[in-house]
Amino acid sequence: MLLLWVLVFLTFSAPVIVNPLIAILEDPYLKGPACPAGSHIIVLGGGVDSRVIDASEFGRMGNATLTRATAAARMALAEPGTRVIVAGGAVGKVAEAEVMDAYLQRLGVAGQRLVRETDSATTRENALNVAVLLQNESIEGPVRLISSAMHMPRALLSFRRVLADTDIQVCPVSVDIQALKDVPWYAVMPQTTAIMRSEMLLHEAVALLLYRFKGWL
């Protein structure tokens, strides 16, 4: 048993093994042409510290949330007519969407362009709740969905499933890419970063299986 645990540890701490496995999830939504412009952007929260007590505490955003929100701000500032839906509920007192809203405004995105979805706790709920908000919006062109590359398969399929009976097209914008390319074959020594990425990969793989089992994708 000890030998088995050692083998598992060595396998999922080796960059040369972990990075290609992550790329299996990430790469399909990184290829192809960029999304055409549209009237709306959706950005999904990727975690905010539960100790946050004020939406202006941007340092409480997780790396995934910060990366996603920054990408949304960059896109929104380049397209002044675009509306941005920030989606993510609260673990503590302040919702992810509230923190992202405040952050986007700090970066120069006008508050009247922002729509907050603050009640969701899962990707499935993100899709369901945002779909309700979109019913009150005038949609032109594809709706661009911003999330981490590793999360994008589950996020995109969830949104497309929920919006399947509408005319709304969802186009993926993947950020926060985790897989490193061209990892040398000799990168087999354990690394803490590889272990962290393995944990993220395991979480996403299990979630994908669960969502498929429940018929949500």
Coordinates of all heavy atoms in Angstrom, one line a residue, residues 62-138:
G62 N -9.5 35.1 -5.5 CA -8.6 34.0 -5.9 C -8.0 34.3 -7.3 O -8.5 35.2 -8.0
N63 N -6.9 33.7 -7.6 CA -6.2 33.9 -8.8 C -7.1 33.7 -10.0 O -7.0 34.5 -11.0 CB -5.0 33.0 -8.9 CG -3.8 33.4 -8.0 OD1 -3.7 34.5 -7.6 ND2 -3.0 32.4 -7.6
A64 N -7.9 32.7 -10.0 CA -8.8 32.5 -11.1 C -9.8 33.6 -11.3 O -10.0 34.1 -12.4 CB -9.6 31.1 -10.9
T65 N -10.4 34.1 -10.2 CA -11.4 35.2 -10.3 C -10.7 36.4 -10.8 O -11.2 37.2 -11.7 CB -12.0 35.4 -8.9 OG1 -12.6 34.3 -8.5 CG2 -13.0 36.6 -9.0
L66 N -9.5 36.7 -10.3 CA -8.8 37.9 -10.7 C -8.5 37.9 -12.2 O -8.6 38.9 -12.9 CB -7.5 38.1 -9.9 CG -6.6 39.2 -10.3 CD1 -7.3 40.6 -10.0 CD2 -5.3 39.2 -9.5
T67 N -8.0 36.7 -12.7 CA -7.6 36.6 -14.1 C -8.9 36.7 -15.0 O -8.8 37.4 -16.0 CB -7.0 35.2 -14.3 OG1 -5.8 35.1 -13.5 CG2 -6.5 35.1 -15.8
R68 N -10.0 36.1 -14.6 CA -11.2 36.2 -15.4 C -11.7 37.6 -15.4 O -12.1 38.1 -16.5 CB -12.2 35.2 -14.8 CG -11.8 33.7 -14.8 CD -12.9 32.9 -14.0 NE -12.4 31.6 -13.7 CZ -13.1 30.6 -13.2 NH1 -14.4 30.9 -12.8 NH2 -12.6 29.4 -12.9
A69 N -11.8 38.2 -14.2 CA -12.4 39.6 -14.2 C -11.5 40.6 -14.9 O -12.0 41.5 -15.6 CB -12.5 40.0 -12.7
T70 N -10.2 40.4 -14.9 CA -9.3 41.3 -15.6 C -9.5 41.1 -17.1 O -9.5 42.1 -17.9 CB -7.8 41.0 -15.2 OG1 -7.7 41.2 -13.8 CG2 -6.9 42.0 -16.0
A71 N -9.7 39.9 -17.6 CA -9.9 39.7 -19.0 C -11.2 40.3 -19.4 O -11.4 40.9 -20.5 CB -9.9 38.2 -19.3
A72 N -12.3 40.2 -18.5 CA -13.6 40.8 -18.9 C -13.4 42.3 -18.9 O -14.0 43.0 -19.8 CB -14.6 40.4 -17.8
A73 N -12.7 42.9 -18.0 CA -12.5 44.4 -18.0 C -11.8 44.8 -19.3 O -12.2 45.8 -20.0 CB -11.7 44.8 -16.8
R74 N -10.8 44.1 -19.7 CA -10.0 44.4 -20.9 C -11.0 44.4 -22.1 O -10.9 45.3 -23.0 CB -8.9 43.5 -21.1 CG -7.9 43.8 -22.2 CD -6.8 42.8 -22.4 NE -6.0 42.8 -21.2 CZ -5.9 41.8 -20.3 NH1 -6.6 40.7 -20.5 NH2 -5.1 41.9 -19.3
M75 N -11.8 43.4 -22.2 CA -12.7 43.2 -23.3 C -13.8 44.3 -23.3 O -14.1 44.9 -24.3 CB -13.3 41.8 -23.3 CG -14.1 41.5 -24.5 SD -14.8 39.8 -24.4 CE -13.3 38.8 -24.4
A76 N -14.3 44.6 -22.1 CA -15.4 45.6 -22.0 C -14.9 47.0 -22.3 O -15.6 47.8 -23.0 CB -16.0 45.5 -20.6
L77 N -13.7 47.3 -21.9 CA -13.1 48.6 -22.2 C -12.8 48.8 -23.7 O -12.9 49.9 -24.2 CB -11.9 48.8 -21.4 CG -12.1 49.0 -19.8 CD1 -10.8 49.0 -19.1 CD2 -12.9 50.2 -19.5
A78 N -12.6 47.7 -24.4 CA -12.3 47.8 -25.8 C -13.6 47.9 -26.6 O -13.6 48.2 -27.8 CB -11.5 46.6 -26.3
E79 N -14.7 47.5 -25.9 CA -16.0 47.5 -26.6 C -17.0 48.2 -25.7 O -17.8 47.6 -24.9 CB -16.5 46.1 -26.8 CG -15.6 45.2 -27.7 CD -16.0 43.8 -27.7 OE1 -17.1 43.4 -27.3 OE2 -15.1 42.9 -28.1
P80 N -17.1 49.6 -25.8 CA -17.9 50.4 -24.9 C -19.4 50.1 -24.8 O -20.0 50.4 -23.8 CB -17.6 51.8 -25.4 CG -16.3 51.7 -26.1 CD -16.3 50.4 -26.8
G81 N -19.9 49.4 -25.9 CA -21.3 49.1 -25.9 C -21.7 47.8 -25.2 O -22.9 47.5 -25.1
T82 N -20.7 47.0 -24.8 CA -21.0 45.7 -24.3 C -21.4 45.7 -22.9 O -20.8 46.4 -22.1 CB -19.7 44.8 -24.5 OG1 -19.3 44.8 -25.9 CG2 -19.9 43.4 -24.0
R83 N -22.4 44.9 -22.5 CA -22.8 44.7 -21.2 C -22.1 43.5 -20.6 O -21.8 42.5 -21.3 CB -24.3 44.6 -21.0 CG -25.0 45.9 -21.2 CD -26.5 45.8 -21.4 NE -27.2 45.3 -20.2 CZ -27.4 46.0 -19.1 NH1 -27.0 47.2 -19.0 NH2 -28.1 45.5 -18.1
V84 N -21.8 43.5 -19.3 CA -21.1 42.4 -18.6 C -21.9 41.9 -17.5 O -22.3 42.6 -16.6 CB -19.7 43.0 -18.1 CG1 -18.9 41.8 -17.4 CG2 -18.9 43.6 -19.1
I85 N -22.1 40.6 -17.5 CA -22.8 39.9 -16.4 C -21.7 39.2 -15.6 O -21.0 38.3 -16.1 CB -23.8 38.8 -17.0 CG1 -24.9 39.5 -17.8 CG2 -24.4 38.0 -15.8 CD1 -25.8 38.5 -18.5
V86 N -21.6 39.6 -14.3 CA -20.7 39.0 -13.4 C -21.5 38.0 -12.5 O -22.5 38.3 -12.0 CB -20.0 40.0 -12.5 CG1 -19.0 40.8 -13.3 CG2 -21.0 41.0 -11.9
A87 N -21.0 36.7 -12.5 CA -21.8 35.7 -11.8 C -21.0 35.0 -10.8 O -19.8 34.5 -11.0 CB -22.2 34.7 -12.9
G88 N -21.6 34.8 -9.6 CA -21.0 34.1 -8.5 C -21.6 34.5 -7.2 O -21.7 35.7 -6.9
G89 N -21.9 33.5 -6.4 CA -22.6 33.8 -5.1 C -21.6 34.0 -4.0 O -20.4 34.2 -4.2
A90 N -22.1 33.9 -2.8 CA -21.3 34.1 -1.6 C -21.0 32.9 -0.8 O -22.0 32.1 -0.5 CB -22.0 35.2 -0.7
V91 N -19.8 32.7 -0.3 CA -19.5 31.7 0.7 C -19.6 32.4 2.1 O -20.1 31.8 3.0 CB -18.1 31.2 0.5 CG1 -17.7 30.2 1.6 CG2 -18.0 30.5 -0.9
G92 N -19.2 33.6 2.2 CA -19.3 34.4 3.4 C -20.4 35.4 3.3 O -21.5 35.2 2.9
K93 N -20.0 36.7 3.5 CA -21.0 37.8 3.5 C -21.1 38.5 2.2 O -22.1 39.1 1.9 CB -20.6 38.8 4.6 CG -20.7 38.3 6.0 CD -20.3 39.4 7.0 CE -20.4 38.9 8.5 NZ -20.0 40.0 9.4
V94 N -20.0 38.4 1.4 CA -20.0 39.1 0.1 C -19.9 38.2 -1.1 O -19.1 37.3 -1.1 CB -18.8 40.1 0.1 CG1 -18.8 40.9 -1.2 CG2 -18.8 41.0 1.3
A95 N -20.7 38.4 -2.1 CA -20.7 37.5 -3.2 C -19.6 37.8 -4.2 O -19.1 38.9 -4.2 CB -22.0 37.6 -4.0
E96 N -19.1 36.7 -4.8 CA -18.1 36.9 -5.8 C -18.5 38.0 -6.9 O -17.6 38.8 -7.3 CB -17.8 35.6 -6.6 CG -17.2 34.5 -5.8 CD -17.2 33.2 -6.6 OE1 -18.2 32.8 -7.2 OE2 -16.1 32.6 -6.6
A97 N -19.7 38.0 -7.3 CA -20.2 38.9 -8.3 C -20.0 40.4 -7.8 O -19.7 41.3 -8.6 CB -21.6 38.6 -8.7
E98 N -20.2 40.6 -6.5 CA -20.1 41.9 -5.9 C -18.7 42.4 -6.0 O -18.4 43.6 -6.3 CB -20.6 42.0 -4.5 CG -22.1 41.7 -4.4 CD -22.6 41.6 -2.9 OE1 -22.5 40.6 -2.3 OE2 -23.0 42.7 -2.4
V99 N -17.8 41.5 -5.7 CA -16.3 41.9 -5.7 C -15.9 42.1 -7.1 O -15.2 43.1 -7.4 CB -15.5 40.8 -5.1 CG1 -14.0 41.2 -5.1 CG2 -15.9 40.5 -3.6
M100 N -16.3 41.3 -8.1 CA -15.9 41.5 -9.5 C -16.5 42.8 -10.0 O -15.9 43.5 -10.8 CB -16.4 40.3 -10.3 CG -15.6 39.0 -10.0 SD -15.9 37.7 -11.3 CE -17.6 37.2 -10.9
D101 N -17.8 43.1 -9.6 CA -18.4 44.3 -10.0 C -17.6 45.5 -9.6 O -17.3 46.4 -10.4 CB -19.8 44.3 -9.4 CG -20.7 45.5 -9.9 OD1 -20.2 46.7 -9.6 OD2 -21.7 45.4 -10.4
A102 N -17.2 45.5 -8.3 CA -16.5 46.6 -7.8 C -15.1 46.7 -8.5 O -14.6 47.8 -8.8 CB -16.3 46.5 -6.3
Y103 N -14.5 45.6 -8.8 CA -13.2 45.6 -9.4 C -13.3 46.1 -10.8 O -12.4 46.9 -11.3 CB -12.7 44.1 -9.4 CG -11.3 43.9 -10.1 CD1 -10.2 44.5 -9.6 CD2 -11.2 43.2 -11.3 CE1 -8.9 44.3 -10.2 CE2 -10.0 43.0 -11.9 CZ -8.9 43.5 -11.4 OH -7.7 43.3 -12.0
L104 N -14.3 45.7 -11.6 CA -14.5 46.2 -13.0 C -14.7 47.7 -13.0 O -14.2 48.4 -13.9 CB -15.6 45.4 -13.6 CG -15.4 43.9 -14.0 CD1 -16.7 43.2 -14.4 CD2 -14.4 43.8 -15.1
Q105 N -15.5 48.1 -12.0 CA -15.7 49.6 -12.0 C -14.4 50.3 -11.7 O -14.2 51.4 -12.2 CB -16.8 49.9 -11.0 CG -18.2 49.5 -11.4 CD -19.3 50.1 -10.5 OE1 -19.4 51.3 -10.5 NE2 -20.1 49.2 -9.9
R106 N -13.6 49.8 -10.8 CA -12.3 50.4 -10.4 C -11.4 50.5 -11.7 O -10.7 51.4 -11.8 CB -11.7 49.6 -9.3 CG -10.3 50.2 -8.9 CD -10.5 51.6 -8.2 NE -11.2 51.5 -7.0 CZ -10.8 51.2 -5.8 NH1 -9.5 50.9 -5.7 NH2 -11.5 51.1 -4.8
L107 N -11.6 49.5 -12.6 CA -10.8 49.5 -13.8 C -11.3 50.4 -14.9 O -10.7 50.5 -15.9 CB -10.6 48.1 -14.3 CG -9.8 47.1 -13.4 CD1 -9.7 45.7 -14.1 CD2 -8.4 47.7 -13.2
G108 N -12.5 50.9 -14.6 CA -13.1 51.9 -15.6 C -14.3 51.5 -16.3 O -14.8 52.2 -17.2
V109 N -14.9 50.3 -16.0 CA -16.1 49.9 -16.6 C -17.3 50.5 -15.9 O -17.4 50.4 -14.7 CB -16.3 48.3 -16.6 CG1 -17.5 47.9 -17.3 CG2 -15.0 47.7 -17.2
A110 N -18.1 51.2 -16.6 CA -19.2 51.9 -16.0 C -20.2 51.0 -15.3 O -20.5 49.9 -15.8 CB -20.0 52.8 -17.0
G111 N -20.7 51.4 -14.1 CA -21.6 50.5 -13.3 C -22.9 50.1 -14.1 O -23.4 49.0 -13.9
Q112 N -23.4 51.1 -14.9 CA -24.6 50.8 -15.6 C -24.5 49.7 -16.7 O -25.5 49.2 -17.2 CB -25.2 52.0 -16.2 CG -24.4 52.7 -17.2 CD -23.5 53.8 -16.6 OE1 -23.1 53.7 -15.5 NE2 -23.2 54.8 -17.4
R113 N -23.3 49.3 -17.0 CA -23.0 48.3 -17.9 C -23.0 46.9 -17.3 O -22.9 45.9 -18.0 CB -21.7 48.5 -18.7 CG -21.7 49.8 -19.5 CD -20.3 50.0 -20.1 NE -19.9 48.9 -21.0 CZ -18.7 48.7 -21.4 NH1 -17.7 49.6 -21.1 NH2 -18.4 47.7 -22.2
L114 N -23.0 46.9 -16.0 CA -22.8 45.6 -15.2 C -24.1 45.1 -14.7 O -24.9 45.8 -14.2 CB -21.8 45.9 -14.1 CG -20.4 46.3 -14.5 CD1 -19.6 46.8 -13.2 CD2 -19.6 45.2 -15.2
V115 N -24.2 43.7 -14.8 CA -25.4 43.0 -14.3 C -24.8 41.9 -13.3 O -23.9 41.2 -13.7 CB -26.2 42.3 -15.4 CG1 -27.4 41.6 -14.8 CG2 -26.6 43.3 -16.4
R116 N -25.3 41.9 -12.1 CA -24.8 41.0 -11.1 C -25.7 39.8 -10.9 O -26.9 39.9 -10.7 CB -24.6 41.7 -9.8 CG -23.5 42.7 -9.8 CD -23.2 43.2 -8.4 NE -24.3 44.0 -7.8 CZ -24.2 44.7 -6.7 NH1 -23.0 44.7 -6.0 NH2 -25.2 45.4 -6.3
E117 N -25.1 38.6 -10.9 CA -25.8 37.3 -10.5 C -25.1 36.9 -9.2 O -24.0 36.4 -9.3 CB -25.7 36.3 -11.6 CG -26.5 35.0 -11.4 CD -25.9 34.1 -10.4 OE1 -24.8 33.6 -10.7 OE2 -26.5 33.9 -9.3
T118 N -25.8 37.0 -8.1 CA -25.2 36.8 -6.8 C -25.7 35.5 -6.0 O -25.3 35.4 -4.9 CB -25.4 38.0 -5.9 OG1 -26.8 38.2 -5.8 CG2 -24.8 39.2 -6.6
D119 N -26.5 34.7 -6.6 CA -27.1 33.6 -5.9 C -26.6 32.2 -6.1 O -27.0 31.3 -5.5 CB -28.7 33.6 -6.2 CG -29.4 34.9 -5.7 OD1 -28.9 35.4 -4.7 OD2 -30.3 35.3 -6.4
S120 N -25.7 32.1 -7.1 CA -25.3 30.8 -7.5 C -24.1 30.3 -6.6 O -23.2 31.0 -6.2 CB -24.8 30.8 -9.0 OG -23.8 31.7 -9.2
A121 N -24.1 29.0 -6.4 CA -23.0 28.3 -5.7 C -22.3 27.3 -6.5 O -21.2 26.8 -6.1 CB -23.6 27.6 -4.4
T122 N -22.8 27.0 -7.7 CA -22.2 26.0 -8.6 C -22.2 26.5 -10.0 O -22.9 27.5 -10.4 CB -22.9 24.7 -8.6 OG1 -24.3 24.9 -9.1 CG2 -23.0 24.2 -7.1
T123 N -21.5 25.9 -10.9 CA -21.5 26.2 -12.3 C -22.9 26.0 -12.9 O -23.4 26.8 -13.7 CB -20.5 25.4 -13.1 OG1 -19.2 25.6 -12.5 CG2 -20.4 25.7 -14.6
R124 N -23.6 24.9 -12.5 CA -24.9 24.7 -13.0 C -25.8 25.8 -12.6 O -26.6 26.3 -13.4 CB -25.4 23.4 -12.4 CG -26.9 23.1 -12.5 CD -27.3 22.7 -13.9 NE -28.7 22.3 -13.9 CZ -29.4 21.9 -15.0 NH1 -28.7 21.9 -16.2 NH2 -30.6 21.5 -15.0
E125 N -25.7 26.3 -11.4 CA -26.6 27.4 -10.9 C -26.2 28.7 -11.6 O -27.0 29.6 -11.9 CB -26.5 27.6 -9.4 CG -27.1 26.5 -8.7 CD -27.0 26.6 -7.2 OE1 -26.4 27.6 -6.7 OE2 -27.4 25.7 -6.4
N126 N -24.9 28.9 -11.9 CA -24.5 30.0 -12.8 C -25.3 30.1 -14.0 O -25.8 31.1 -14.4 CB -23.0 29.9 -13.1 CG -22.0 30.3 -12.1 OD1 -20.9 29.8 -12.0 ND2 -22.4 31.2 -11.1
A127 N -25.3 29.0 -14.7 CA -26.0 28.9 -16.0 C -27.5 29.1 -15.9 O -28.1 29.9 -16.6 CB -25.7 27.5 -16.7
L128 N -28.1 28.5 -14.9 CA -29.6 28.7 -14.7 C -29.9 30.1 -14.4 O -30.9 30.7 -14.9 CB -30.0 27.7 -13.6 CG -30.0 26.2 -13.9 CD1 -30.3 25.4 -12.7 CD2 -31.0 25.9 -15.0
N129 N -29.2 30.7 -13.5 CA -29.5 32.1 -13.0 C -29.2 33.1 -14.1 O -29.9 34.1 -14.3 CB -28.8 32.4 -11.7 CG -29.2 31.5 -10.6 OD1 -30.3 30.9 -10.6 ND2 -28.4 31.4 -9.5
V130 N -28.1 32.9 -14.8 CA -27.7 33.9 -15.9 C -28.8 33.8 -17.0 O -29.1 34.8 -17.6 CB -26.3 33.6 -16.4 CG1 -26.1 34.4 -17.7 CG2 -25.3 34.0 -15.3
A131 N -29.2 32.6 -17.3 CA -30.3 32.4 -18.3 C -31.5 33.2 -18.0 O -32.1 33.8 -18.9 CB -30.6 30.9 -18.4
V132 N -31.9 33.3 -16.7 CA -33.0 34.1 -16.3 C -32.7 35.6 -16.6 O -33.6 36.3 -17.1 CB -33.4 33.9 -14.9 CG1 -34.5 34.8 -14.4 CG2 -33.8 32.4 -14.6
L133 N -31.5 36.0 -16.2 CA -31.1 37.4 -16.5 C -31.1 37.8 -17.9 O -31.5 38.9 -18.3 CB -29.8 37.7 -15.9 CG -29.6 37.6 -14.3 CD1 -28.2 37.8 -13.9 CD2 -30.5 38.6 -13.7
L134 N -30.7 36.8 -18.8 CA -30.6 37.1 -20.2 C -32.0 37.3 -20.8 O -32.1 37.9 -21.9 CB -29.9 36.0 -20.9 CG -28.4 35.9 -20.6 CD1 -27.8 34.6 -21.3 CD2 -27.7 37.1 -21.2
Q135 N -33.0 36.8 -20.2 CA -34.4 36.9 -20.7 C -34.8 38.4 -20.7 O -35.7 38.8 -21.5 CB -35.4 36.2 -19.8 CG -35.2 34.7 -20.0 CD -36.2 33.9 -19.0 OE1 -37.0 34.5 -18.3 NE2 -36.1 32.6 -19.0
N136 N -34.2 39.2 -19.9 CA -34.5 40.6 -19.8 C -33.5 41.5 -20.5 O -33.5 42.7 -20.4 CB -34.6 41.1 -18.3 CG -35.6 40.3 -17.5 OD1 -36.7 40.1 -18.0 ND2 -35.3 39.9 -16.3
E137 N -32.6 40.9 -21.3 CA -31.6 41.6 -22.0 C -31.8 41.5 -23.5 O -32.4 40.5 -24.0 CB -30.2 41.0 -21.7 CG -29.8 41.1 -20.3 CD -29.4 42.5 -19.9 OE1 -28.8 43.2 -20.7 OE2 -29.8 42.9 -18.7
S138 N -31.4 42.5 -24.2 CA -31.5 42.5 -25.7 C -30.2 42.0 -26.2 O -29.1 42.7 -26.1 CB -31.7 43.9 -26.2 OG -31.8 43.9 -27.6

